[in-house]
């Protein structure tokens, strides 16, 4: 349902208390979300420290004027009627909060503009709950978002590394190479040559001239008759007119080329800064590689407490019986006859989703199988299956019966009903946990003495050397790219002022810009005119702007000022996703994608769909902006990934992303990362029945209050690597990396693009796979392998080459030397992938930088 109203920020100018002069609307209205029948919600941010925005006020405009006046529903039950103002230019009626008159500034001020919280508006039969967040950001902070947004947009359109140019006629690969630089120089040189002798038309005028030079007109004789003999009389004359179609077009070319050059300079500067930043980040990573590691004390304490709980059979048994009571409450099995039996779980029986077990009927008996020479498999009904774990002994009171398997090679024990269960103290897993607890306690004592530092093991040092080689390779790449971009900047930056001077001189000649090509003989006979036209045409093709509409759209977007920041943040995040797909993971966007993108940013198209292809890794990504899900919900972004596996069949998975421009205080008000993820994943059902991965993009540093991983990114982002929330399933296996939150903040974080690369890389590499398949024969992925560090498909299996020969699968990237290791959890068989220390998105062990905690059962490798 479309809302019967819009809500915007407006700015009014008043002559006096009663006389409205003008109404200025914000570029975009607030985003409305339907939360019920005729019920909507919205979120906005106000900026007390931004002078430009201090006179803006919230305003509502109904779409059918016969509704009753809107009002604010106060917490005490009273109504605060909104007041109407009429735009003198359009006669549109806006409803605003009652305000007080500021005589000094000659403006009406409202309280909602300066207050955080929630306001409930009633507009006819509709209800709007508006959440207002206060931001401490300054004008320069907001301008940074805006300037980054524009620079990123121009970069995507003009990027010299773009794989295709899209809709350019006779399109070539966009490239700012020596040819493009020469074209810019040629246009400038020939425009300067035209200025020396521009095409001109003589326009007949009347002017005073000496008597001997007069060419008479009727006015001449009138002057003689009325004023007698004079030295100067009115005469026919002419003056040069440079405002001819040829010069109008040349001025258009000069202005357009100047705009392109300016943006190429800005893009070059932006990329130079980014490459320099990447180079510095790699230097930081190099400096962090030392002969010791700093152990996270808090995470070590968490592991210690977890091991204590694993050793506590009473704690485990109580938890199992609570879960058992919950399962039994949902089923009616209590009338079945039960017996006491002891069961020892040896391991998973993959072929029938059961457990290999031994059993006995009394404590003093020896553990045995049902029949000699045959394996015994426990197959509980599905509700009971997850209550059993490998390595534990149980005493259960259950209804149980046995029968032979279809093959006759094993005996199946089936549990139909279970009334009670208790874990045995002598369980192998309990004893193993006790041993680990003792070791961890001793290590903790030693670490505390050594200021929580520990020397690296031989394996960790080898891992560090691999990491160092990758960093050095990437440093060389970014250094070379920075040098290339620096040359572009060095050549083009000095061209800006000469182009501005040429443009100024044309305008001084009273020439008006016009984009229509006159197709006159001047462009055939005059080499300078000809060179300007042909050079501009080639330049547009070279930089991917052969479509005139794209250049005009970019010029319009360039004029956008500070806008609705949550919306700007959404679109900034949208550009970052596109940048990572194209520039890092080497996906080719579909034809006409630029036009779609620009139409969306200009507000002409709210919903857009862009497809990206990477044949080298057999994947296709369909990126949608503000699509409707099947359940009617409307997230910000949806990425549908389709992949062809190595064996030739299709797999697909959906990633849903919502961009939340929240302050730290407002994030806390919404329940922190935990509350926002739960709202989107479960309450709004962006997961569509837990089938989709759901992630949040946010700008808040330190948003993760309960860090679960030792990696640096875990302080700001949560990738679902371990359980963190009380609403997650306690017994059933978690769906790994199905939800999370990523910090994307260009102002306070230099690694924000890495954060987005990590989450998208995780989804493309890990999220589309069935990582918990019980019948998997290999730790390797089903889809084609690629490098998450540089996006290259040139990865080679080096498992059987020398020292990497092991049960794991080892892949090395030939372009950046990144190693990727594919392994599995020894406890639950979940696939695990490690991409070195920096790019690994699963949690590393606090005590070891080479071991991963399983995201499903949270056991170490």
């Amino acid at each position: 349902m479309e809302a019967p109203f819009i809500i915007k920020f407006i700015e009014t100018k008043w002559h006096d208390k009663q006389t409205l002069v003008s109404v200025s609307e914000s570029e975009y209205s607030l985003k409305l979300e339907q939360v019920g029948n005729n019920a909507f919600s919205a979120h906005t941010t106000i900026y007390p420290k931004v002078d430009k925005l201090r006179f803006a006020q919230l305003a509502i405009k109904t779409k059918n004027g016969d509704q009753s006046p809107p009002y604010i529903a106060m917490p005490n039950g009273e109504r605060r009627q909104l007041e109407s103002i009429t735009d003198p230019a359009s006669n549109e009626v806006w409803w605003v909060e009652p305000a007080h008159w500021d005589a000094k500034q000659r403006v009406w001020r409202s309280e909602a503009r300066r207050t955080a919280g929630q306001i409930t508006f009633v507009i006819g039969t509709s209800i709007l709950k508006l959440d207002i967040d206060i931001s401490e950001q300054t004008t320069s902070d907001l301008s940074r978002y805006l300037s980054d947004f524009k620079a990123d947009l121009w970069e995507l359109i003009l990027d010299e590394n773009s794989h295709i140019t899209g809709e350019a006629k006779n399109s070539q690969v966009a490239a700012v190479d020596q040819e493009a630089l020469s074209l810019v120089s040629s246009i400038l040189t020939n425009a300067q040559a035209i200025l020396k002798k521009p095409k001109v038309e003589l326009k007949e005028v009347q002017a005073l001239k000496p008597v001997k030079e007069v060419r008479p007109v009727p006015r001449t004789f009138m002057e003689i008759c009325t004023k007698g003999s004079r030295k100067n009389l009115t005469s026919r004359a002419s003056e040069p007119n440079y405002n001819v179609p040829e010069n109008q077009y040349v001025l258009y070319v000069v202005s357009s080329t100047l705009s392109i050059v300016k943006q190429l300079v800005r893009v070059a500067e932006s990329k130079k800064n980014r490459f320099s930043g990447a180079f510095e980040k790699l230097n930081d990573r190099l400096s962090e590689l030392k002969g010791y590691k700093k152990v996270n004390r808090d995470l070590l304490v968490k592991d210690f407490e977890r091991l204590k709980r694993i050793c506590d059979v009473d704690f485990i048994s109580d938890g199992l019986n609570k879960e058992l009571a919950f399962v039994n409450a949902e089923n009616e099995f209590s009338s079945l006859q039960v017996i006491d039996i002891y069961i020892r779980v040896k391991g998973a029986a993959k072929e029938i989703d059961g457990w290999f077990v031994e059993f006995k009927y009394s404590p003093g008996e020896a553990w045995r199988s049902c029949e000699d020479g045959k394996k015994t498999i426990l197959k509980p009904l599905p509700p009971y299956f997850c209550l059993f774990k490998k390595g534990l002994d149980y005493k259960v009171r259950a209804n149980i019966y046995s029968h032979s398997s279809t093959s006759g090679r094993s005996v199946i024990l089936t549990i139909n009903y279970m009334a009670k269960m208790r874990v045995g103290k002598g369980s192998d897993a309990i004893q193993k946990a006790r041993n680990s607890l003792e070791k961890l306690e001793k290590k903790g004592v030693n670490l505390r003495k050594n200021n929580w530092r520990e020397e690296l093991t031989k394996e960790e040092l080898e891992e560090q050397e691999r990491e160092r080689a990758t960093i050095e390779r990437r440093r060389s790449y970014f250094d070379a790219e920075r040098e290339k971009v620096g040359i572009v900047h060095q050549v083009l930056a000095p061209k800006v002022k000469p182009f501005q001077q040429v443009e100024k001189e044309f305008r001084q000649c009273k020439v008006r810009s016009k984009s229509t090509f006159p197709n006159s003989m001047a462009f055939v006979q005059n080499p300078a005119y000809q060179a300007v036209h042909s050079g501009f045409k080639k330049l547009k093709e070279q930089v991917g702007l052969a479509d005139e509409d794209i250049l005009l759209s970019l010029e319009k977007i360039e004029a956008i000022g500070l806008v609705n920041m949550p919306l700007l943040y959404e679109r900034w995040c949208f550009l970052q996703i596109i940048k990572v797909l194209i520039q890092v993971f080497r996906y080719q966007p579909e034809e006409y994608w630029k036009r779609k993108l620009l139409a969306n940013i200009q507000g002409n198209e709210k919903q857009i769909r862009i497809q990206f292809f990477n044949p080298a890794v057999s994947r296709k990504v369909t990126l949608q902006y503000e699509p409707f899900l099947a359940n009617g919900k409307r997230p910000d972004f949806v990425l549908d990934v389709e992949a062809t596996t190595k064996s030739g069949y299709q797999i697909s998975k959906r990633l849903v992303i919502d961009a939340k421009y929240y302050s730290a205080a407002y994030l806390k008000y919404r329940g922190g990362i935990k509350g926002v993820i739960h709202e989107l994943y479960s309450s709004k059902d962006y997961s569509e029945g837990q089938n989709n991965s759901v992630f949040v993009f946010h700008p808040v540093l330190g948003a993760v209050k309960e860090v679960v991983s030792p990696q640096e990114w875990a302080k700001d982002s949560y990738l679902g690597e371990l359980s963190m929330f009380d609403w997650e399933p306690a017994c059933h296996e978690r769906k790994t990396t199905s939800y999370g939150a990523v910090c994307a903040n260009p102002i306070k974080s230099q690694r924000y693009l890495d954060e987005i690369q990590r989450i998208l890389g995780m989804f493309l590499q890990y999220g589309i796979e069935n990582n918990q398949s019980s019948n998997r024969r290999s730790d390797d992925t089903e889809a084609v392998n690629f490098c998450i560090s540089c996006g290259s498909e040139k990865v080679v299996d080096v498992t059987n080459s020398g020292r990497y020969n092991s049960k794991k699968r080892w892949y090395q990237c030939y372009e950046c030397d990144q190693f990727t290791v594919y392994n599995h959890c020894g406890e639950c068989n979940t696939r695990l992938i490690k991409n070195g220390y920096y790019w690994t998105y699963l949690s590393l062990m606090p005590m070891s930088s080479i071991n991963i905690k399983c995201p499903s059962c949270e056991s170490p490798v």
Side-chain angles (χ1 to χ4, degrees):
M1 173 185 174
E2 187 176 352
F5 61 90
I6 63 172
I7 180 168
K8 278 188 174 186
F9 280 103
I10 65 171
E11 189 174 297
T12 56
K13 291 185 179 180
W14 298 79
H15 176 69
D16 55 37
K17 198 172 183 179
Q18 304 296 331
T19 309
L20 177 62
V21 176
S22 65
V23 175
S24 300
E25 301 178 25
S26 60
E27 188 80 22
Y28 306 102
S29 58
L30 300 190
K31 184 177 179 180
L32 299 175
E33 181 176 358
Q34 187 171 4
V35 294
N37 188 24
N38 287 330
F40 301 88
S41 67
H43 165 254
T44 190
T45 307
I46 56 179
Y47 308 91
K49 295 184 178 179
V50 181
D51 289 338
K52 276 186 178 182
L53 304 176
R54 62 186 173 139
F55 296 127
Q57 61 187 130
L58 287 163
I60 294 173
K61 181 172 66 177
T62 58
K63 294 182 180 178
N64 42 356
D66 57 349
Q67 286 187 335
S68 57
Y71 63 88
I72 297 173
M74 305 298 288
N76 60 5
E78 295 181 0
R79 296 183 178 186
R80 186 184 177 108
Q81 204 75 34
L82 298 187
E83 297 178 347
S84 65
I85 58 173
T86 303
D87 186 346
S90 64
N91 287 325
E92 292 182 332
V93 177
W94 291 94
W95 295 92
V96 298
E97 183 187 12
H100 67 273
W101 177 251
D102 185 334
K104 184 178 180 180
Q105 299 290 341
R106 287 195 298 179
V107 67
W108 288 94
R109 291 184 179 274
S110 63
E111 291 302 318
R113 179 66 189 84
R114 302 193 299 273
T115 307
Q118 187 179 83
I119 302 177
T120 301
F121 294 96
V122 178
I123 308 109
T125 59
S126 301
I127 295 176
L128 168 65
K129 291 187 180 294
L130 175 66
D131 286 326
I132 299 180
D133 182 14
I134 287 185
S135 173
E136 294 300 312
Q137 290 187 324
T138 63
T139 303
S140 61
D141 293 334
L142 300 185
S143 297
R144 170 69 185 277
Y145 269 107
L146 186 61
S147 61
D148 277 13
F149 173 77
K150 292 177 180 178
D152 289 341
L153 179 61
W154 277 95
E155 181 179 341
L156 280 171
I157 304 299
L158 303 177
D159 187 9
E160 67 268 23
N161 291 322
S162 178
H163 291 275
I164 64 171
T165 61
E167 57 276 19
K169 185 179 179 181
N170 299 321
S171 66
Q172 308 170 16
V173 174
V176 182
D177 55 11
Q178 189 58 49
E179 182 181 354
L181 299 178
S182 299
L183 288 170
V184 171
S185 298
S186 173
I187 293 171
L188 176 61
T189 302
N190 285 284
Q192 290 170 332
I194 290 172
L195 270 176
K196 292 177 182 178
K197 194 175 180 180
K199 183 174 176 60
V200 63
E201 291 180 351
L202 295 178
K203 181 180 178 181
E204 184 173 307
V205 294
Q206 294 181 1
L208 291 175
K209 285 190 174 184
V211 173
K212 292 183 179 181
E213 298 177 14
V214 169
R215 297 169 62 193
V217 294
R219 186 181 177 87
T220 310
F221 300 106
M222 181 67 68
E223 288 176 352
I224 293 173
C225 293
T226 58
K227 298 181 180 180
S229 177
R230 301 179 63 191
K231 290 184 179 180
N232 296 306
L233 293 173
T234 300
S235 169
R236 288 180 180 177
S238 63
E239 65 179 17
N241 174 29
Y242 297 103
N243 190 33
V244 296
E246 291 84 353
N247 294 337
Q248 290 174 343
Y249 177 74
V250 170
L251 175 56
Y252 162 74
V253 170
V254 169
S255 299
S256 297
T257 305
L258 172 60
S259 179
I260 292 172
V261 169
K262 280 182 179 178
Q263 298 307 328
L264 286 173
V265 169
R266 183 164 75 170
V267 168
E269 188 172 5
S270 175
K271 296 189 75 171
K272 183 179 179 182
N273 292 337
R274 191 171 77 246
F275 290 141
S276 296
F279 191 82
E280 292 304 317
K281 284 185 292 184
L282 291 168
N283 284 339
D284 292 342
R285 285 174 57 189
L286 268 181
S287 66
E288 292 168 1
L289 301 181
K290 300 175 181 177
Y292 63 87
K293 57 176 175 279
K294 187 78 174 176
V295 178
N296 188 311
R297 176 189 175 279
D298 294 337
L299 293 180
L300 194 65
V301 170
K302 285 182 183 179
D303 276 0
F304 185 79
E305 295 298 325
R306 180 172 176 271
L307 281 171
K308 283 178 67 176
R309 290 194 296 271
I310 292 175
C311 297
D312 188 342
V313 295
D314 292 332
F315 175 83
I316 299 172
S317 299
D318 288 346
L320 287 173
N321 283 299
K322 286 179 183 177
E323 190 72 21
L324 188 61
F326 176 77
V327 170
N328 288 336
E330 300 290 319
N331 302 279
E332 292 294 333
F333 297 131
S334 56
S335 61
L336 298 176
Q337 186 178 359
V338 296
I339 61 170
D340 288 339
I341 186 173
Y342 295 85
I343 295 174
R344 170 169 286 178
V345 180
K346 306 292 287 183
K350 300 176 185 177
E351 61 271 18
I352 61 168
D353 290 330
W355 300 98
F356 288 119
V357 298
E358 294 177 335
F359 73 97
K360 59 184 178 179
Y361 291 105
S362 64
E365 292 183 33
W367 295 101
R368 61 189 175 88
S369 300
C370 287
E371 295 182 27
D372 291 340
K374 293 185 178 181
K375 293 182 178 180
T376 301
I377 297 177
L378 178 69
K379 186 172 176 57
L381 290 183
Y384 300 123
F385 182 85
C386 66
L387 299 177
F388 293 91
K389 297 294 179 185
K390 176 184 174 182
L392 290 178
D393 301 342
Y394 300 88
K395 178 184 178 182
V396 301
R397 182 167 295 167
N399 174 268
I400 187 168
Y401 73 95
S402 64
H403 61 92
S404 294
S405 65
T406 305
S407 65
R409 291 178 296 182
S410 57
V411 177
I412 310 297
L413 293 179
T414 301
I415 293 181
N416 292 317
Y417 166 68
M418 203 159 43
K420 190 177 181 181
M421 63 190 309
R422 182 172 179 80
V423 175
K425 292 183 179 179
S427 302
D428 289 344
I430 299 293
Q431 190 56 49
K432 183 180 177 181
R434 286 180 183 142
N435 295 337
S436 298
L437 185 65
E438 291 176 5
K439 291 179 182 178
L440 193 61
E441 190 172 16
K442 291 179 182 177
K443 283 186 176 180
V445 172
N446 293 330
L447 282 169
R448 188 166 56 248
K449 293 178 181 177
N450 295 326
N451 196 26
W452 300 99
R453 288 184 178 182
E454 186 176 50
E455 296 296 317
L456 297 182
T457 64
K458 179 182 177 182
E459 291 79 9
E460 288 172 331
L461 287 170
E462 290 178 355
E463 172 93 359
Q464 193 175 92
E465 286 307 307
R466 288 192 289 269
E467 193 90 2
R468 193 187 306 277
T470 300
I471 293 173
E472 292 288 1
R473 191 79 173 264
R474 294 302 283 168
R475 268 177 23 122
S476 299
Y477 167 78
F478 284 118
D479 195 33
E481 291 300 307
R482 180 175 60 178
E483 186 176 347
K484 290 178 188 175
V485 174
I487 293 172
V488 173
H489 186 274
Q490 183 180 354
V491 172
L492 289 182
K495 297 284 193 298
V496 173
K497 286 188 176 180
F499 266 109
Q500 289 174 332
Q501 182 61 32
V502 171
E503 184 184 45
K504 180 181 177 182
E505 290 182 27
F506 266 110
R507 296 195 186 281
Q508 287 174 342
C509 293
K510 298 180 181 180
V511 177
R512 295 178 182 177
S513 175
K514 194 172 183 180
S515 60
T516 305
F517 178 61
N519 202 22
S520 70
M521 290 303 294
F523 291 92
V524 177
Q525 298 171 341
N526 190 317
Y529 279 92
Q530 185 183 49
V532 166
H533 172 59
S534 61
F536 184 57
K537 185 178 178 181
K538 290 178 183 177
L539 178 65
K540 288 194 297 180
E541 290 181 353
Q542 195 79 5
V543 297
L545 290 175
D547 190 324
E548 198 69 35
D549 291 343
I550 290 180
L551 185 57
L552 294 174
S553 295
L554 285 169
E555 293 292 347
K556 290 178 183 177
I557 292 169
E558 191 63 27
I560 292 176
L562 288 178
V563 296
N564 180 337
M565 280 305 297
L567 180 61
L568 178 63
Y569 184 69
E570 275 182 22
R571 291 178 173 174
W572 177 83
C573 289
F574 190 47
L575 293 187
Q576 307 316 305
I577 293 171
I578 295 174
K579 278 177 64 177
V580 170
L581 286 174
I582 294 176
Q583 297 176 354
V584 178
F585 293 125
R586 312 183 188 195
Y587 282 74
Q588 299 175 1
E590 65 179 46
E591 194 175 14
Y592 303 112
W593 70 279
K594 295 177 183 178
R595 187 177 294 174
K596 287 184 179 181
L597 177 62
L598 294 171
N600 171 262
I601 293 170
Q602 287 181 278
N604 299 330
E605 291 185 28
K606 292 185 178 179
Q607 295 173 261
I608 62 170
R609 175 194 299 255
I610 302 175
Q611 291 189 332
F612 299 83
F613 307 90
N614 190 334
V617 297
S618 301
R619 285 172 174 83
K620 179 179 79 172
V621 176
T622 302
L623 172 62
Q624 299 180 72
Y625 183 80
E626 292 193 339
F628 283 102
L629 302 178
N631 57 21
K633 299 299 180 182
R634 193 175 187 182
D636 293 331
F637 319 115
V638 168
L639 288 88
D640 288 306
V641 178
E642 299 175 28
T644 303
T645 66
K646 298 167 188 172
S647 55
Y649 67 91
Q650 299 292 316
I651 56 176
S652 61
K653 191 68 186 291
R654 169 170 283 186
L655 170 64
V656 178
I657 299 175
D658 229 37
K660 298 296 186 185
Y661 186 73
Y662 290 166
S663 67
Y666 187 70
L667 183 64
K668 184 178 180 181
Y669 167 75
R670 296 301 296 264
I673 289 297
K674 165 186 170 182
V676 175
I677 293 175
H678 185 254
E679 177 189 5
L680 299 181
Y681 188 79
S682 299
S683 303
K684 292 186 177 180
D685 194 26
Y686 282 2
S687 65
E688 296 185 287
Q690 301 185 0
N691 290 313
N692 306 333
S693 294
V694 179
F695 279 79
V696 181
F697 283 3
H698 66 88
V700 181
L701 295 183
V704 181
K705 300 306 178 185
E706 187 180 344
V707 176
V708 295
S709 299
Q711 292 101 308
E712 188 67 25
W713 53 260
K715 297 175 184 177
D716 308 314
S717 302
Y718 170 63
L719 304 184
E721 63 275 14
L722 296 174
S723 60
M724 183 188 289
F725 311 130
D726 52 14
W727 51 265
E728 294 179 289
C731 172
H732 301 282
E733 289 186 339
R734 322 172 48 236
K735 290 192 174 182
T736 58
T737 60
S738 291
Y739 39 76
V742 174
C743 181
N745 185 328
I747 299 173
K748 297 182 180 178
S749 172
Q750 288 189 339
R751 297 185 177 185
Y752 73 91
L753 208 59
D754 288 356
E755 301 297 309
I756 298 174
Q757 178 179 341
R758 189 177 288 109
I759 168 61
L760 294 183
M762 178 183 77
F763 185 72
L764 293 168
Q765 183 186 58
Y766 195 70
I768 64 173
E769 300 280 339
N770 180 10
N771 297 301
Q772 294 166 297
S773 174
S774 60
N775 58 0
R776 187 175 64 251
R777 296 182 179 179
S778 171
D779 292 331
D780 205 348
T781 53
E782 297 173 86
V784 178
N785 307 82
F786 70 94
C787 176
I788 192 176
S789 171
C790 71
S792 174
E793 78 284 358
K794 298 175 183 177
V795 291
V796 180
D797 189 341
V798 294
T799 304
N800 298 316
S801 60
R803 58 181 176 175
Y804 302 117
N805 188 9
S806 68
K807 294 180 181 179
K808 306 174 185 178
R809 306 298 300 177
W810 290 75
Y811 278 82
Q812 182 180 9
C813 176
Y814 270 15
E815 290 195 24
C816 72
D817 281 341
Q818 175 73 45
F819 276 88
T820 301
V821 185
Y822 301 82
N823 202 357
H824 68 278
C825 174
E827 296 294 323
C828 68
N829 206 41
T830 296
R831 178 191 285 113
L832 305 173
I833 299 179
K834 184 178 182 188
N835 298 287
Y837 182 83
Y838 186 75
W839 290 113
T840 291
Y841 39 74
L842 301 177
S843 175
L844 298 175
M845 292 289 291
M847 290 292 298
S848 172
S849 61
I850 60 174
N851 288 329
I852 296 173
K853 274 192 176 181
C854 174
S856 181
C857 68
E858 303 196 6
S859 296
V861 174

